[in-house]
């Protein structure tokens, strides 16, 4: 049998890190994952997937991410149920995360919190491309067939 889930998305809130009575860390979070298609209005919908991560990886995820961080996760789908205080049966489906990857640098994640996307690209310092012969200078490149190695 196979039960694997691989998702890439953004945290909808900071990881809620708690500890069990035995001292094990447990982090819960929700991941917003864009759908591959747009609706009739051209809008892209997202699914909000509940996830749980345990022990040292939970502490690391909590320490190195924040709301809006782009992460990739690998885990398994789990269903469970419990009885609420009102006596109702509650069913929960969530991803139990085995591994995660940070998919953007800390600096770019902080920039996304303080600036809009268009401003980020405008505020980047201009690099000196004089030493790069392949830099796009806006001029046409004149290459004859004799210059090509194939």
């Amino acid at each position: 049998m196979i039960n694997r889930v691989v998702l890439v998305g953004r945290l909808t809130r900071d990881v809620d890190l708690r500890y069990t009575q035995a001292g094990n860390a447990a982090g819960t979070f929700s991941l917003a994952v864009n759908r591959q298609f747009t609706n009739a209005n051209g809008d892209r919908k997202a699914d909000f997937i509940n996830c749980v991560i345990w022990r040292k990886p939970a502490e690391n995820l909590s320490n190195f991410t924040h709301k809006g961080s782009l992460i990739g996760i690998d885990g398994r789908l789990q269903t469970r149920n419990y009885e609420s205080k009102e006596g109702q049966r509650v069913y929960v489906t969530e991803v139990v995360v085995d591994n995660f990857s940070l998919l953007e640098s800390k600096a770019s994640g902080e920039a996304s919190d303080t600036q809009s996307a268009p401003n980020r690209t405008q505020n980047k310092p201009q690099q000196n491309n004089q030493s790069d012969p392949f830099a796009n200078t806006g001029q046409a490149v004149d290459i004859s067939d004799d210059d090509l190695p194939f």
Side-chain angles (χ1 to χ4, degrees):
M1 312 250 180
I2 299 173
N3 180 358
R4 293 308 310 160
V5 176
V6 177
L7 300 170
V8 173
R10 294 196 178 272
L11 293 175
T12 61
R13 55 181 161 74
D14 289 347
V15 176
D16 182 18
L17 186 65
R18 298 181 184 191
Y19 290 87
T20 65
Q21 290 180 350
N24 292 323
T28 57
F29 60 95
S30 181
L31 200 63
V33 181
N34 285 339
R35 294 183 181 173
Q36 295 296 319
F37 53 88
T38 57
N39 63 15
N41 297 332
D43 298 327
R44 189 173 303 272
K45 298 284 184 171
D47 292 304
F48 298 90
I49 313 294
N50 292 325
C51 304
V52 62
I53 187 168
W54 291 91
R55 297 177 187 78
K56 188 64 175 175
E59 293 174 333
N60 289 337
L61 185 65
S62 178
N63 289 333
F64 296 112
T65 62
H66 54 83
K67 177 182 177 180
S69 294
L70 181 66
I71 64 169
I73 63 169
D74 171 39
R76 63 184 169 82
L77 199 58
Q78 171 180 283
T79 59
R80 59 186 173 86
N81 63 72
Y82 62 92
E83 193 170 308
S84 70
K85 293 177 183 175
E86 295 81 29
Q88 300 268 338
R89 180 66 48 195
V90 177
Y91 294 90
V92 178
T93 301
E94 61 198 357
V95 175
V96 179
V97 178
D98 295 327
N99 299 299
F100 72 91
S101 295
L102 305 176
L103 299 179
E104 61 188 357
S105 68
K106 185 175 182 180
S108 66
E110 289 171 354
S112 67
D113 285 346
T114 59
Q115 298 178 351
S116 64
N119 290 340
R120 259 185 299 178
T121 57
Q122 292 173 355
N123 290 340
K124 284 186 179 178
Q126 296 295 322
Q127 296 178 350
N128 184 1
N129 291 331
Q130 292 175 349
S131 63
D132 185 0
F134 301 106
N136 184 6
T137 60
Q139 300 173 356
V141 178
D142 183 26
I143 298 177
S144 71
D145 289 341
D146 296 333
D147 293 333
L148 298 175
F150 47 89

